[in-house]
Amino acid sequence: MRQETEHVEVVVIGSGAGGAPLTHTLVRAGHQVLVLEKGPLLRTQTQSPDGLSDFKRDESFATGAEKRITVQGVANTGETFFSSHVEPDLNDEPHVYRDSDGQDRVTIEGYTAQVVGGGTQLYGGVSPRFTPEDLRLRSLNEGRSDLRADPDGEVVREARDWPVGYAELEPYYGQAEHLIGVNGTWEGQAKTPSADHYQPPLEPNAISAYAAAGMDALGMRRYRTPLAVITEDHAPSGRTVPADRESIKTAFVNRYGDPLGLKSNTWVSLLAPLRAVGQGFELRANCCVTHLEAEGARVTRVHYRDPAGAARTVSARIVVVACSAIESVRLLALSGAADPDFERRVNGNGLLGAYFLTHCFGGAQCAVATRADKSRTLDSDWATDHCARPEWFRERGLWAGGVIYNNTSDGALPISLARTWHAMDMDNMWKGYLYDTGILGNGFEDYLDAGFGRRLSLAFMANQVPRRANRVELHPHVKDKWGRPVAYIIKTWHGHDRALMDVLADQCRAILENGGEVKDVSSGSVGGSVVRIANHVLGGARFGADARDSVLDPDCRAWNFDNLYVTDGSFMPTSGSANPTLTIEANSFRVGDTLLKRL
């Protein structure tokens, strides 16, 4: 018996950076939007009737019972793990990655956060724009033969220009900065705004002076890192700040939910304000979309499980998928597995899931001479676009560059020091100190004395080379608790990625070495760490101007569907030279305007 189908104007699957901005645009224009979110709604202190936030402070480091992986047929079956309240249990709904030894392992990497607001609830808020060059890397590298570690010309062959340029995206960057709520400064950036919507930054933490001095010594223009944290009252969302602005500073902003609502996640900045609009907006949390159903070129039904696990269906004029890149690809693949015609339409060229991207990233760290209270800070103070300039990266035989910024909040708490020990990833950061048996007793006290409040790190973000072999598929035998194949991530680094990361890591090291009295300077990149997937999940359903070479058209509509759009980071054909969240939000606002013309 077919489930009775509910009818709405627009369904948006996912409430994070890809789904919330266009929802905000459509509802403000008087349209009806239903948002389906797999995770829970966690309220801030001001939103909760009892004045207590729903966050539990276990978002990055679970404090519950130890569990064991029971998934069969993978290399880490039987290993222990802990889970938090905003990530899926590894035994319920893991991702699977193919490791460098060819074996499969289950992981929670690639889940940016399963919660209303998505990854914007847990990120540190670093929100730079991409450079104009990030959007035209094919044109910029055409005809080059001087690239490092690219013997067969794959970098130039696989580079792609975006089907929209910086000039078209620029007003939507401004809209995002205004409506989301971002603080920072423009002077020193390689990007020029048409209007300045930044709020003023707070005073930098004392430890950041070393990063500033190192950038100055090397002639690198610097600016205050754009952060999605409000520092003054924010009229678009109705949020207010404490009278003591210094109390806004808390290292908990990075990797933890913000109980005060000052971090500009998409729930507090874009969705919660829609409740005052009246009719038109509905958010259903704890609802898992299982697959889409289509008749010809139109998606006719969205199938989901409600919080009680009951099967529900809803139809809409427009369906927007914004589950975060890995899960969006998986949802489309699951829908195709249930219907050959859906599969042909969404993946006729075989590119769904292909060209999966993260970022080239890494950096350097050191110990500084004087101890600082790193708990009283936001995520970053200073950034530089010096290494994102074409003249800089072309001189070094690189196809692209990257932004460098200091991680002020990194290692602000003893538990976060564990995460930096051997570059722990999300699955095993809780094991951090166990990797060195010398960090016991007096050794642990010495470790804290030498590092706590003295560790300073710099990070870079840079474009990863798109490779068709880097992909997201459905796993052949591992299934989730609903019996659906889980996402299977197959990803390696191109030789040019490693060369690029080495060069940028050396630049980070040079900044620290020129920043004053420092010691124990070290540098490295994700290419040499235990991190496999990372939390900037991009690509897999890239947009483009040619239906033969992309999954989505320039408006992020699936080429062979009339009413199916994908607006999370999976649309990106290249990963950019900076954190991607603001660009995903800007593009979602752009698609929102496109949908207004249709509706």
Side-chain angles (χ1 to χ4, degrees):
M1 180 177 179
R2 180 180 288 275
Q3 178 74 38
E4 182 178 349
T5 300
E6 176 185 9
H7 299 278
V8 298
E9 194 172 13
V10 180
V11 169
V12 177
I13 306 167
S15 60
L22 65 86
T23 297
H24 186 91
T25 295
L26 297 179
V27 173
R28 288 287 185 185
H31 295 284
Q32 178 196 23
V33 182
L34 168 63
V35 176
L36 297 173
E37 167 59 50
K38 185 161 62 174
L41 170 61
L42 302 179
R43 298 164 298 177
T44 66
Q45 291 177 357
T46 57
Q47 294 170 342
S48 176
D50 59 10
L52 298 176
S53 167
D54 293 323
F55 288 103
K56 301 178 181 178
R57 287 292 192 235
D58 76 340
E59 294 89 356
S60 251
F61 184 87
T63 54
E66 181 184 56
K67 303 176 182 179
R68 288 193 179 275
I69 296 171
T70 59
V71 178
Q72 298 300 305
V74 295
N76 54 344
T77 301
E79 290 187 7
T80 58
F81 73 97
F82 293 81
S83 60
S84 79
H85 71 303
V86 296
E87 304 292 353
D89 187 298
L90 268 176
N91 292 319
D92 286 345
E93 195 176 15
H95 288 157
V96 179
Y97 71 96
R98 183 187 294 171
D99 210 343
S100 56
D101 60 4
Q103 297 190 82
D104 290 350
R105 287 174 168 80
V106 299
T107 179
I108 60 168
E109 276 195 83
Y111 280 105
T112 52
Q114 194 167 283
V115 60
V116 173
T120 66
Q121 288 280 18
L122 302 190
Y123 75 148
V126 174
S127 300
R129 299 181 178 191
F130 286 1
T131 68
E133 290 74 28
D134 287 327
L135 310 187
R136 55 185 189 91
L137 287 176
R138 185 184 187 94
S139 299
L140 197 64
N141 288 285
E142 198 74 52
R144 291 186 67 183
S145 59
D146 63 328
L147 293 174
R148 298 184 179 204
D150 186 33
D152 65 353
E154 184 177 14
V155 175
V156 174
R157 187 170 63 252
E158 294 290 21
R160 293 293 184 275
D161 289 348
W162 290 33
V164 297
Y166 184 83
E168 184 177 348
L169 198 58
E170 196 283 331
Y172 296 105
Y173 270 129
Q175 184 178 8
E177 288 155 355
H178 172 60
L179 293 177
I180 296 291
V182 177
N183 78 79
T185 60
W186 283 106
E187 184 179 359
Q189 289 201 44
K191 292 84 66 173
T192 304
S194 57
D196 184 355
H197 295 292
Y198 284 164
Q199 293 189 345
L202 303 175
E203 287 298 312
N205 188 278
I207 202 169
S208 298
Y210 293 90
M215 292 176 185
D216 291 347
L218 296 174
M220 298 178 171
R221 297 184 68 200
R222 57 184 167 89
Y223 54 92
R224 291 300 304 278
T225 310
L227 298 172
V229 179
I230 58 170
T231 58
E232 55 187 27
D233 292 351
H234 186 247
S237 64
R239 289 175 291 155
T240 59
V241 300
D244 178 10
R245 292 173 77 243
E246 285 297 302
S247 67
I248 297 171
K249 295 179 181 178
T250 167
F252 276 109
V253 162
N254 185 18
R255 295 190 171 272
Y256 289 88
D258 175 19
L260 301 180
L262 303 177
K263 179 161 61 174
S264 297
N265 63 71
T266 56
W267 163 242
V268 297
S269 62
L270 297 178
L271 296 182
L274 295 179
R275 296 179 300 179
V277 174
Q279 298 295 322
F281 170 63
E282 183 179 359
L283 169 70
R284 295 179 189 170
N286 298 303
C287 290
C288 177
V289 175
T290 58
H291 64 287
L292 310 179
E293 183 181 347
E295 294 178 6
R298 292 191 59 80
V299 174
T300 53
R301 292 180 180 83
V302 175
H303 295 261
Y304 71 98
R305 299 275 182 175
D306 68 13
R312 306 289 184 189
T313 60
V314 59
S315 67
R317 289 179 60 187
I318 300 291
V319 175
V320 179
V321 176
C323 311
S324 189
I326 293 173
E327 284 300 297
S328 286
V329 169
R330 179 187 175 214
L331 176 60
L332 296 176
L334 287 169
S335 304
D339 178 2
D341 186 59
F342 192 106
E343 166 69 14
R344 179 183 61 81
R345 290 180 179 278
V346 79
N347 194 29
N349 57 13
L351 292 181
L352 179 65
Y355 297 103
F356 174 65
L357 297 161
T358 56
H359 265 119
C360 291
F361 67 99
Q365 62 176 325
C366 68
V368 303
T370 56
R371 197 184 308 275
D373 182 359
K374 294 183 67 179
S375 68
R376 294 180 62 81
T377 185
L378 298 179
D379 190 35
S380 176
D381 284 320
W382 294 107
T384 178
D385 293 343
H386 182 83
C387 301
R389 298 174 302 127
E391 57 268 32
W392 184 91
F393 60 76
R394 289 177 72 93
E395 286 175 1
R396 289 158 177 80
L398 302 176
W399 84 304
V403 171
I404 294 174
Y405 57 88
N406 75 300
N407 291 116
T408 321
S409 68
D410 194 26
L413 306 166
I415 193 61
S416 57
L417 281 173
R419 185 179 181 277
T420 62
W421 191 250
H422 286 272
M424 293 297 99
D425 59 33
M426 292 183 69
D427 286 344
N428 58 24
M429 61 165 284
W430 61 274
K431 299 178 181 177
Y433 298 137
L434 301 181
Y435 273 65
D436 188 339
T437 56
I439 306 184
L440 296 172
N442 291 337
F444 184 64
E445 184 176 334
D446 293 342
Y447 171 74
L448 291 180
D449 183 62
F452 191 56
R454 297 182 187 270
R455 303 302 300 180
L456 175 63
S457 65
L458 293 176
F460 66 80
M461 296 289 163
N463 281 279
Q464 181 190 358
V465 175
R467 308 185 78 183
R468 183 162 185 162
N470 288 342
R471 61 196 187 274
V472 178
E473 300 178 346
L474 298 179
H475 198 274
H477 65 81
V478 178
K479 293 181 170 57
D480 66 15
K481 63 182 179 181
W482 294 285
R484 306 177 305 162
V486 304
Y488 187 26
I489 298 97
I490 301 167
K491 179 178 178 292
T492 59
W493 295 106
H494 190 281
H496 190 76
D497 292 331
R498 296 183 184 277
L500 185 154
M501 289 189 279
D502 288 344
V503 172
L504 282 171
D506 286 344
Q507 288 291 304
C508 292
R509 183 185 188 105
I511 292 171
L512 295 180
E513 290 175 336
N514 284 274
E517 187 181 347
V518 301
K519 60 181 181 180
D520 301 331
V521 183
S522 62
S523 60
S525 69
V526 70
S529 78
V530 297
V531 178
R532 288 90 47 162
I533 302 167
N535 56 355
H536 293 178
V537 289
L538 310 165
R542 69 184 185 190
F543 74 161
D546 186 344
R548 298 166 299 180
D549 192 46
S550 55
V551 177
L552 310 173
D553 73 7
D555 292 329
C556 290
R557 178 182 62 85
W559 279 105
N560 295 310
F561 281 102
D562 176 63
N563 65 336
L564 175 61
Y565 293 77
V566 183
T567 57
D568 51 41
S570 58
F571 82 91
M572 292 187 181
T574 51
S575 53
S577 62
N579 301 50
T581 302
L582 185 73
T583 300
I584 297 171
E585 291 167 339
N587 182 68
S588 181
F589 279 120
R590 182 185 69 89
V591 175
D593 273 359
T594 297
L595 294 179
L596 284 181
K597 298 172 185 176
R598 290 200 59 179
L599 295 170

